[in-house]
Amino acid sequence: MLHGIALGGGALVALAATLFGLLILKSESDVHGPAARRTWVSSLASISSVLVWLTVIGGTYIVFPPYRATPPEGMADLAAYPRSFLLASSDRAWLHGIAMEMKEHVPWIAAMLATAAAFITSRYRTAVFRESLERRLALTLLGLCVALVATASMLGMLVNKVAPLD
Amino acid sequence: MSTTESTTPGTSPSMVEPNGAALAAFLAAGIGAFAMGLFVLLSEAGIFAAPSLYGPAGGVSGRTTFAVVTWLIAWAVVHRRWRSRHVEPAGVWAATLALVAFALLATFPPVWAIFG
């Protein structure tokens, strides 16, 4: 719950809000307008990055170990062992073989991209709100992050729906 | 990816922020992503398996840590070289997007069958 909804969901919302903030604050009046709004978007980019890192670190070191735990020999009820439960049926095996395998690595890529976006948004606080290279870099990184985190979240929901980790 | 010094006659470096630091962060993120994909592919192909750094999490702890360390080193090196320079962006754009595209392919399990 904390990993998937609070951190992962929070990261996705914060990334999308940062992307939206960058897009709507581009007009000339905003560039020369309240600096507080630009500071707010830059801060949100940093918060997004922190949330993505907390999600991937927590996911890898706290949530993943019980997911991949090996059940005792001869155990028939595998409900408490999600990976083994998924792999026990050919209908469900793809949820580990594709969905969970992607979830192990893709969010780490998103975390690195989100950090780069936060750095650029913070260091080039004015340039990212007008037509500039830095703006295009930040928008590209944030767009990729939103897509990757949304994909990982969706895969996580699918896995959790079939093999919930209690 | 040619670079030029930021200080040109009549231009104050404080007025025109060099783009090098932004492009360094962008490229380093691509290098980190590429490293992640490469460590995954090497592991799946049985060529190199990053050691598990935390037993309960298994090999993913080693692969991700190695990729993050690669990213940080790459960022530090490129940032140090480019931070006060204007860098030609086209090559950096293309290289970074290619690195990220490779990473996404390399972390897509059906692709592993080609190398496995």
Side-chain angles (χ1 to χ4, degrees), chain A residues 64 68 97 105 108 123-124 140, chain B residues 17-18 22 36 56 63 93 109:
Chain A
F64 190 55
R68 70 187 291 271
H105 304 106
W108 286 85
R123 179 157 177 145
Y124 298 89
T140 301
Chain B
E17 178 85 7
M36 179 68 72
R63 290 191 293 276
W93 265 103

Side-chain angles (χ1 to χ4, degrees), chain B residues 19-42:
Chain B
N19 66 12
L23 285 167
F26 193 67
L27 179 62
I31 292 171
F34 174 83
M36 179 68 72
L38 186 64
F39 284 125
V40 170
L41 268 192
L42 291 175

Side-chain angles (χ1 to χ4, degrees), chain A residues 1 5 8 16 29 65 79 83-84 97 156 161 164:
Chain A
M1 185 72 85
I5 295 177
S29 59
R83 182 176 68 169
S84 300
K161 187 81 176 169

Side-chain angles (χ1 to χ4, degrees), chain A residues 7-22:
Chain A
L7 294 176
L12 184 56
V13 169
L15 285 166
T18 307
L19 185 59
F20 184 69
L22 265 182

Side-chain angles (χ1 to χ4, degrees), chain A residues 107-146:
Chain A
W108 286 85
I109 294 172
M112 292 184 269
L113 299 179
T115 306
F119 173 80
I120 292 169
T121 309
S122 176
R123 179 157 177 145
Y124 298 89
R125 197 166 288 188
T126 303
V128 292
F129 292 100
R130 56 179 159 75
E131 190 51 52
S132 65
L133 169 71
E134 291 80 10
R135 176 180 175 80
R136 292 195 297 277
L137 294 176
L139 289 174
T140 301
L141 290 166
L142 286 167
L144 279 169
C145 282
V146 169

Side-chain angles (χ1 to χ4, degrees), chain B residues 3-31:
Chain B
T3 61
T4 56
E5 292 291 350
S6 64
T7 47
T8 53
T11 304
S12 165
S14 63
M15 291 176 64
V16 181
E17 178 85 7
N19 66 12
L23 285 167
F26 193 67
L27 179 62
I31 292 171

